[in-house]
Amino acid sequence: MAEAAALDPPLPGEDVKPFTPEKAKEIVMSLQRPAVFCNMVFDWPALHWNAKYLSEVLDGKKIQFRMGMKKRDTAPQFETKCSYVEATLEEFLAWTCGQPTCVSRPFSCYDFSKYWTYADYKYIAMIFEDKTEIFKDIMWSDFGFPGRNGKESTLWIGSAGANTPCHLDSYGCNLVLQIQGRKRWHLFPPSNTTFLYPTRIPYEESSIFSKVNVVNPDLKHYPQFRKAQAHVVTLNPGQVLFVPRHWWHYVESIDPITVSINSWIELDADHKARVEEAVTRTLVCAIKSAENPSRVDAWLNPTEVKATSHEINLQYLNGALSAYLEYQKVTVSEDRDPSTHDTEKVSSHKRRKIEINTKPEDCKSWTHEAGFTVVKAKKLEKIPFGVHLIPVLPQSQEASSVGAGAVESDSRDLLSENEEGHFGKLRCSGKQSVMNNDCETLADQTDADSTANSSQMAISTNDLLDCLVNPQVINLVTGLLLEREREIDI
């Protein structure tokens, strides 16, 4: 397993960054695999953003923490299965240090030896809304995104064991700065999607989860996972990990306290992805909302406020389709006039949340929405891997590749390390295939007898959804919808 070692501060005369912003941007836009940037952020004030410093800056402000169990079940620990507490960073630090419960009150019910906690996905612009001067501590301009700072970034603070279930992000690519402690990333290429058993339950806009606990897989239920090829890297303070579009990732804190910052960069492909997400939301909400509420486990991820109505979802879908077609027209115009083809948009948000009052005309503005204008980067034919840019290699290739000198670096830069490595079960039996007024009664009877007859159970709602909203199916449906809209537009 690769470990990109933490770097010492540069010596006098060595404080020159290995890549100019323009070059870094070209690398980011050309990379098709994960890689770690080194020596690019040594002068960022954000490197001082450890948990103690942030506690002082927030000055008693409460934030939400997710609580999870330190156990190695074969099932992923989704956010719907976690509990939550509101606490200050001071109370978080007291809990991680084992101080008396009177100091770490909100965490008093959770044994530190049995639980981990995670203040994840915190928009810096929101939690520091009254301290905007702190935004400039983060300088993504060094990676070719001028004007981009903490306002467009997200903060993550966790204890040892805190983790994000394996998933892929539908939108953009990702830059992640590690500030305090170390995190271990397990990454899988988009070509491994089938082997990771994708699911949209729990549902969250822009996140496709894996049914597999990639660090402790149930190979009896998910045998195809044997074919997945993990790229594993330990990210150290001062390093920036690039995660390409649609790469699956499971992330876990391996030190007592970890702090990291990330920023999602919007790509041209996101315009079509918004249509795909709109199709997915419409189907998931329509089918899950039809279930008997008293018999359904939580299917919405806590990041989703509520299930939107079918009418709202169709409005959003039509708006996303219109926005995509408008984007295509603009792109064709730019291709005809190269002088207009020099900018692209970047976005701080992983997901575009659906507002309850969304209207189609609101969605059309997405192609022209306010953003940061940056120079369009050209694609590199050869990526300059080396001591300053370390590729995250597949586990099976790593030992031989490192031995063969795939990356010219010393042991500080690339190390080899060995590692040991359904929701809402509303089911129907065969006799319930005919719908009538007694359907709910039959469902109740079936549920009551579910333990005895579990081996005879038929397809569940979630099983059906896993097929209907499989990424390949959604891609096909989106293509058909776009083709239909183009014909109508003509």
Side-chain angles (χ1 to χ4, degrees), residues 217-241:
D218 182 348
L219 296 177
K220 179 180 179 180
H221 285 90
Y222 308 114
Q224 292 292 312
F225 182 69
R226 297 178 190 273
K227 301 177 183 178
Q229 191 163 51
H231 296 59
V232 185
V233 66
T234 299
L235 196 64
N236 292 278
Q239 297 172 335
V240 175
L241 173 67

Side-chain angles (χ1 to χ4, degrees), residues 325-345:
L325 294 174
E326 178 67 19
Y327 157 74
Q328 282 198 316
K329 290 179 182 178
V330 173
T331 302
V332 170
S333 175
E334 289 177 345
D335 288 341
R336 290 173 180 168
D337 182 4
S339 65
T340 65
H341 195 245
D342 62 349
T343 63
E344 65 186 44
K345 295 286 192 285

Side-chain angles (χ1 to χ4, degrees), residues 394-434:
Q395 279 188 305
S396 59
Q397 298 177 8
E398 198 163 73
S400 58
S401 296
V402 174
V407 177
E408 295 181 5
S409 62
D410 60 24
S411 59
R412 294 185 310 134
D413 297 307
L414 188 59
L415 304 179
S416 178
E417 175 182 335
N418 293 324
E419 179 181 0
E420 298 175 4
H422 294 306
F423 297 87
K425 295 183 180 177
L426 181 61
R427 301 176 182 270
C428 297
S429 63
K431 64 182 180 181
Q432 292 173 288
S433 59
V434 178

Side-chain angles (χ1 to χ4, degrees), residues 157-179:
I157 305 170
S159 64
N163 64 80
T164 303
C166 187
H167 68 285
L168 70 77
D169 301 323
S170 301
Y171 305 144
C173 58
N174 197 0
L175 286 171
V176 187
L177 166 64
Q178 192 63 30
I179 294 175

Side-chain angles (χ1 to χ4, degrees), residues 238-443:
Q239 297 172 335
V240 175
L241 173 67
F242 170 72
V243 182
R245 181 176 187 265
H246 284 184
W247 271 69
W248 293 83
H249 46 285
Y250 166 88
V251 191
E252 182 171 347
S253 298
I254 57 177
D255 281 331
I257 297 175
T258 62
V259 177
S260 54
I261 291 171
N262 86 294
S263 194
W264 282 281
I265 301 170
E266 187 173 81
L267 302 173
D268 289 342
D270 293 345
H271 293 283
K272 183 179 179 182
R274 286 198 183 97
V275 181
E276 294 176 337
E277 285 300 301
V279 172
T280 300
R281 174 181 282 271
T282 301
L283 291 173
V284 171
C285 288
I287 293 176
K288 292 299 290 184
S289 297
E291 289 187 304
N292 183 347
S294 65
R295 295 289 175 181
V296 181
D297 287 340
W299 60 273
L300 275 178
N301 215 45
T303 52
E304 294 288 330
V305 178
K306 59 184 289 188
T308 43
S309 70
H310 190 63
E311 180 182 7
I312 291 295
N313 291 335
L314 283 179
Q315 288 180 359
Y316 175 63
L317 174 56
N318 279 282
L321 283 165
S322 298
Y324 177 76
L325 294 174
E326 178 67 19
Y327 157 74
Q328 282 198 316
K329 290 179 182 178
V330 173
T331 302
V332 170
S333 175
E334 289 177 345
D335 288 341
R336 290 173 180 168
D337 182 4
S339 65
T340 65
H341 195 245
D342 62 349
T343 63
E344 65 186 44
K345 295 286 192 285
V346 290
S347 172
S348 62
H349 291 211
K350 168 185 174 183
R351 53 184 75 88
R352 178 84 189 205
K353 286 293 183 185
I354 308 297
E355 300 296 338
I356 299 304
N357 296 318
T358 299
K359 299 176 182 178
E361 55 267 30
D362 296 331
C363 301
K364 287 184 180 180
S365 66
W366 294 349
T367 53
H368 306 291
E369 64 187 348
F372 289 81
T373 302
V374 294
V375 177
K376 194 80 173 180
K378 65 180 182 181
K379 298 286 185 179
L380 297 177
E381 292 184 4
K382 184 178 181 181
I383 304 296
F385 290 123
V387 295
H388 303 299
L389 181 66
I390 303 172
V392 182
L393 302 175
Q395 279 188 305
S396 59
Q397 298 177 8
E398 198 163 73
S400 58
S401 296
V402 174
V407 177
E408 295 181 5
S409 62
D410 60 24
S411 59
R412 294 185 310 134
D413 297 307
L414 188 59
L415 304 179
S416 178
E417 175 182 335
N418 293 324
E419 179 181 0
E420 298 175 4
H422 294 306
F423 297 87
K425 295 183 180 177
L426 181 61
R427 301 176 182 270
C428 297
S429 63
K431 64 182 180 181
Q432 292 173 288
S433 59
V434 178
M435 296 296 294
N436 55 47
N437 293 334
D438 295 325
C439 184
E440 288 190 10
T441 303
L442 289 172

Side-chain angles (χ1 to χ4, degrees), residues 2 32 63 88 126 166 209 344 376 382 392 414 461-462 471:
Q32 299 298 311
I63 56 178
T88 66
M126 294 178 64
C166 187
F209 291 101
E344 65 186 44
K376 194 80 173 180
K382 184 178 181 181
V392 182
L414 188 59
T461 303
N462 291 350

